[in-house]
Each structure stands twice: as structure tokens, then as C-alpha cells.
Amino acid sequence: MKFYVIILSLIILFLPACKPTEKGYKSAYDAALGKREAVKADIDVDLPEGALQDFDGAQLREVDGVKVYILNQRLKPVDEDMKLPGLFNVAIGTYKMITNCRAQSNALKEEGYEAFPAQEPDGMYYTIAGSFATLSEAIKFYQDYKSAKDRVYVGLPDSPIIIFSPK
């Protein structure tokens, strides 16, 4: 019986230490806010007002009268001999496995696109169908690509997305 009393006393003693505190919540919030501000500081191009308000995923925005999904994400080429992605990249698929991404890129190359696979820091792979220096060029390509019939956008919201990839 004495053993159970000791165990119960220890549990009661250490249980309050496991509770989240306001200080813990505040420090987590401040860290997330700092990360978001750092991402915003990386954007050194003239984006339309309100085009990127949320940096946590692809957001549907209206730019020059066109509704497009825009994502702020650093990309890197998968192969060493590939060029670095441009500032604005039109992605038409996302994959966990590079082999699937390469297969879609190769199929696009056969159609005449300068497609290539790119990787985000978390390890996901994007099939990039076109890479551009300006948002207006990317939107034009986006519209042309989306207007073709029978397109499939694996892992995306039934539409290509434009990935803003700061250098």
C-alpha cells in the first residue's frame, strides 16, 4: 500500500509540469510569426497587391482578372545538370516519389514543353511545365495550359499552381 501512495504522490507532483502554459503558447506563436516574416522578407519582386497573403499553402488569388493558385515555396532542381527554376514556376503535378514526377516531366517533354522535376525542402516533388521570370508570363502559360482539354493535375486542386520560388 505504501508503494502505491508513493507512486500516486509522484504522479500528482509531476502532472502539473506537463500542462501547456501561456508562456509556451506565446513562444510557439512568436516562432511561427518570425518564420512567416522571414518568408515575406524573401519576396523581392513586385507582386500584385494581396496576391500572397498566406504563406502556408497554395492560395486562390485573382491576378489581372485571372483566378490562379499561388504558392510561395523555394524549389531546387532534382538533377545537377538542370537549370535552376525561374522565379515563377507553373506546376502541374506533385508527387512523393521522384520516379512518378520524372515520368510526367518526360511525357510533357514529348509534347514539346521544357518540363522538369523540382523538389521542395520538405521532400515533395513538383512537375514544372514552365518556368518564367515574371508573374504575367507565368499566368499566360497557366491559361494556355489549362485551356487544353483532358488535363490531369495530380496532387493539386484540379488546376495548375504557380509557385513563386525566391532565389
Side-chain angles (χ1 to χ4, degrees):
M1 183 72 163
K2 204 175 201 185
F3 175 74
Y4 292 115
V5 171
I6 292 173
I7 296 295
L8 185 59
S9 298
L10 287 174
I11 290 173
I12 292 173
L13 181 65
F14 290 110
L15 191 59
C18 297
K19 289 184 180 178
T21 63
E22 185 176 339
K23 183 179 178 183
Y25 281 124
K26 174 126 176 64
S27 66
Y29 174 78
D30 289 341
L33 193 58
K35 179 181 173 186
R36 183 170 288 192
E37 291 303 317
V39 169
K40 286 181 184 178
D42 281 344
I43 299 174
D44 59 356
V45 297
D46 188 24
L47 288 173
E49 184 72 26
L52 291 174
Q53 296 175 0
D54 189 346
F55 294 90
D56 296 333
Q59 299 294 312
L60 184 61
R61 298 285 177 239
E62 188 169 331
V63 181
D64 297 332
V66 179
K67 289 189 177 187
V68 296
Y69 284 93
I70 299 179
L71 173 67
N72 181 16
Q73 182 67 260
R74 287 190 190 278
L75 297 176
K76 64 180 183 176
V78 174
D79 300 322
E80 292 179 19
D81 61 338
M82 297 181 86
K83 65 178 181 173
L84 287 173
L87 213 48
F88 297 95
N89 301 279
V90 180
I92 54 124
T94 182
Y95 301 93
K96 290 182 182 178
M97 294 178 55
I98 185 60
T99 53
N100 296 333
C101 189
R102 280 188 202 280
Q104 188 179 32
S105 295
N106 291 337
L108 285 173
K109 285 179 184 177
E110 289 177 9
E111 291 182 38
Y113 292 98
E114 294 183 26
F116 60 93
Q119 187 177 20
E120 69 168 6
D122 292 336
M124 291 295 289
Y125 298 96
Y126 286 99
T127 301
I128 305 299
S131 190
F132 306 94
T134 67
L135 181 58
S136 60
E137 291 173 319
I139 288 175
K140 170 88 172 89
F141 180 87
Y142 171 98
Q143 288 177 300
D144 292 344
Y145 188 88
K146 192 172 178 179
S147 68
K149 302 255 188 258
D150 300 325
R151 296 286 190 191
V152 176
Y153 308 102
V154 176
L156 298 176
D158 197 32
S159 172
I161 62 172
I162 296 175
I163 301 175
F164 171 69
S165 182
K167 304 289 182 203

